[in-house]
Amino acid sequence: MTEKEIIEIIESSESNHIKVAVTDIDGVLRGKIINKQKFFKAVKDGFGFCNVIFGWDINDACYDESDVSGWHTGYPDSIATIDLNTLRHVPWNENIPFFLADFSNAKDVNVACPRTLLKKIKQQADDAGYATLFAKEFEWFNFKETPQSLYEKNFTNLQPLTPGMFGYSLLRTSQYQSFYNDIFNLLRRFHVPLEGLHTETGPGVYEAAIEYTDALEAADRAVLFKTAVKEIAYRHELVATFMAKWNSSLPGCSGHIHQNLLSVNGEENLFYDEKEKDGISKLMQHYIAGQLYCLPFIMPMYAPTTNSYKRYVEGAWASTSISWAIENRTTALRVINQTPMHTRLETRVPGADANPYLSIAASLASGLYGIKNKLPLTIAATKGNEYENTHSQKLPKTLQEATTAMKDSPVAKELFGEAFVNHFILTREWECKQVVESEPNAELKRYFEIV
């Protein structure tokens, strides 16, 4: 739609208020409701959003030494820009109009804005003549709890939606059919269409695959998906969590990224070449090589919390090494090459707790790095069980280890710019200090409901 058409939709809307939201560094959607008069002014001039949005952590505690935002700035308003192309109506909230915004035009905080970063990386792909095709998939746990009961129980003895381990179960989804159907149907009306939805292994676990689109829209959908699922769960007196590893004895929650590059007109899959082995084009080989090379230096963008690293357990469906293979779910990167047009790469490292803008930006930027530098694919494809491969380089074990590697390497700054990396490193170093392992259920209290 044109800007004029979108404005006309809002003018004719029965609702006098519009919901707008931005995303912070942790991928948490933060927003407000504004009236029509303020909305039309905001479309023209932007609207003020306190710069603390990039000056505090996931639990609203202010960082100590942020250059972007802090007490030294007085926490003024930064100007957020509404993206009219993100218009949606919230079907579970009286169809209120909804828009995403970012800080791409705000010189004071734009370096810290995740959506602005992804727009920058996507522009690099556009400039190189590639159309991006991305999709996120998520696993998450559902509980018969409320936000109040979580705290009353001190996050102990939580009751899952369904019992036992029963992946791909039609029986289990029939137990809470209205919740299951609402996720699928309401999200489609919210323009976050799902390809599929099913149970996964674990009590009360669902998995959803979001339909493919360009990189920026894929990240928009992913951010909105997580918040929407939580809101829909609330309506059914349930709580959904995207925490990477809420329980050490159960499988973790992933946030895999599917991706490929197309010709500008979208008619040719540039990741496929019938003349190459297994149909994997030279371009895709460079893309894979770039991701493998950069992976050790950008891990916090895939695994941003202290809890994230507890998911990387051998034999628990999460990758633990820098590896790739064809149709193999034990490696970091999985090539799916069943048909020419759908030949693609699945980056299996990100958890469900990762900021979708940052994880997709990391995936795309590192792949483009491999193409730009024509990196050869020197790591051999895994045959069989990668967990048994003692020669592969292992992923970092902790957020501290991963953050130090990112800080000490020039790779991240080359990919994302020094200003963003400096701010992001500061936030991850802060995050390392916030969870006191000796405190009972510290990670559950910090991450369970919010990430």
Side-chain angles (χ1 to χ4, degrees):
M1 292 185 290
T2 65
E3 178 176 329
K4 180 181 178 182
E5 290 171 330
I6 294 171
I7 295 298
E8 289 175 350
I9 288 175
I10 301 303
E11 287 177 336
S12 62
S13 172
E14 295 181 0
S15 175
N16 187 45
H17 51 282
I18 294 95
K19 185 176 285 191
V20 293
V22 298
T23 307
D24 68 14
I25 202 71
D26 290 294
V28 178
L29 208 60
R30 311 266 188 170
K32 60 179 75 173
I33 288 176
I34 59 178
N35 63 29
K36 282 186 179 181
Q37 183 179 359
K38 185 174 178 65
F39 171 79
F40 293 130
K41 185 177 184 300
V43 168
K44 180 181 178 181
D45 302 322
F47 68 97
F49 210 115
C50 180
N51 84 357
V52 76
I53 190 73
F54 298 120
W56 62 14
D57 67 10
I58 200 168
N59 286 169
D60 294 2
C62 295
Y63 301 130
D64 287 335
E65 301 177 355
S66 170
D67 292 332
V68 174
S69 168
W71 294 110
H72 65 286
T73 70
Y75 293 115
D77 278 352
S78 295
I79 302 303
T81 302
I82 294 174
D83 187 340
L84 292 178
N85 291 318
T86 64
L87 169 63
R88 290 164 166 83
H89 292 81
V90 186
W92 57 90
N93 186 10
E94 301 178 347
N95 279 316
I96 179 176
F98 178 98
F99 291 89
L100 286 168
D102 58 47
F103 294 88
S104 53
N105 296 323
K107 293 182 180 179
D108 54 344
V109 298
N110 65 355
V111 297
C113 176
R115 192 171 192 268
T116 299
L117 178 69
L118 179 54
K119 288 166 72 174
K120 173 185 172 184
I121 302 302
K122 181 178 178 295
Q123 187 61 53
Q124 294 175 9
D126 294 342
D127 293 343
Y130 308 128
T132 57
L133 192 61
F134 276 69
K136 288 279 286 185
E137 60 181 15
F138 287 103
E139 298 164 344
W140 76 97
F141 282 77
N142 301 287
F143 295 85
K144 291 190 281 187
E145 302 288 349
T146 66
Q148 289 75 20
S149 72
L150 294 175
Y151 286 90
E152 289 171 357
K153 292 182 172 184
N154 197 29
F155 292 85
T156 60
N157 300 317
L158 304 182
Q159 186 176 5
L161 183 66
T162 54
M165 313 289 270
F166 202 165
Y168 300 104
S169 171
L170 296 180
L171 181 64
R172 284 289 181 256
T173 57
S174 70
Q175 289 184 263
Y176 291 88
Q177 196 79 58
S178 60
F179 173 52
Y180 187 76
N181 289 343
D182 272 357
I183 292 173
F184 200 91
N185 297 328
L186 294 179
L187 281 169
R188 179 163 290 277
R189 288 169 55 190
F190 192 47
H191 299 296
V192 182
L194 302 184
E195 280 192 346
L197 177 66
H198 61 87
T199 66
E200 252 295 355
T201 299
V205 185
Y206 285 172
E207 178 176 354
I210 306 173
E211 286 187 7
Y212 285 84
T213 183
D214 71 84
L216 181 62
E217 173 66 11
D220 286 346
R221 290 179 180 180
V223 166
L224 295 173
F225 171 85
K226 292 174 69 174
T227 296
V229 165
K230 293 174 186 178
E231 291 186 10
I232 294 169
Y234 286 161
R235 290 174 58 84
H236 289 265
E237 298 185 340
L238 304 171
V239 170
T241 182
F242 290 83
M243 195 170 169
K245 191 80 168 178
W246 86 273
N247 187 311
S248 61
S249 64
L250 295 172
C253 295
S254 68
H256 300 161
I257 304 170
H258 290 253
Q259 72 237 248
N260 59 348
L261 299 179
L262 309 178
S263 57
V264 174
N265 60 13
E267 295 181 357
E268 180 184 0
N269 181 3
L270 301 180
F271 275 9
Y272 176 77
D273 186 344
E274 63 179 2
K275 298 178 182 178
E276 295 292 332
K277 182 181 178 182
D278 298 313
I280 303 172
S281 70
K282 291 290 187 184
L283 187 87
M284 186 180 189
Q285 292 175 43
H286 294 321
Y287 191 94
I288 294 171
Q291 285 205 6
L292 293 172
Y293 176 79
C294 297
L295 181 54
F297 313 117
I298 59 175
M299 270 294 292
M301 298 177 76
Y302 293 138
T305 74
T306 58
N307 178 258
S308 303
Y309 296 80
K310 296 177 181 178
R311 174 175 155 262
Y312 302 120
V313 178
E314 293 180 355
W317 299 101
S319 53
T320 58
S321 64
I322 298 173
S323 54
W324 76 282
I326 297 172
E327 281 293 7
N328 190 324
R329 287 181 167 87
T330 67
T331 56
L333 306 182
R334 169 190 170 216
V335 173
I336 302 168
N337 63 342
Q338 296 169 347
T339 61
M341 195 58 197
H342 296 101
T343 294
R344 62 190 185 276
L345 182 67
E346 179 189 32
T347 301
R348 296 177 55 80
V349 178
D353 58 342
N355 182 333
Y357 293 112
L358 298 188
S359 62
I360 289 179
S363 182
L364 179 57
S366 57
L368 293 175
Y369 179 91
I371 294 172
K372 176 183 176 182
N373 293 285
K374 293 184 170 56
L375 295 185
L377 186 51
T378 56
I379 296 177
T382 297
K383 302 294 183 182
N385 187 356
E386 172 61 23
Y387 296 132
E388 297 178 347
N389 189 348
T390 59
H391 302 291
S392 296
Q393 180 181 346
K394 299 300 181 181
L395 297 177
K397 298 292 186 181
T398 65
L399 178 59
Q400 183 65 64
E401 180 185 344
T403 301
T404 299
M406 187 174 186
K407 185 176 183 178
D408 291 346
S409 169
V411 170
K413 291 180 180 179
E414 182 176 349
L415 294 179
F416 313 115
E418 184 173 1
F420 169 80
V421 172
N422 287 343
H423 177 73
F424 185 63
I425 290 295
L426 177 146
T427 69
R428 295 313 95 191
E429 290 177 335
W430 169 274
E431 197 64 33
C432 291
K433 301 173 184 176
Q434 302 312 302
V435 176
V436 180
E437 292 288 352
S438 60
E439 179 184 339
N441 301 324
E443 287 186 339
L444 292 172
K445 293 174 183 176
R446 187 169 183 82
Y447 303 126
F448 190 92
E449 189 186 4
I450 304 300
V451 295

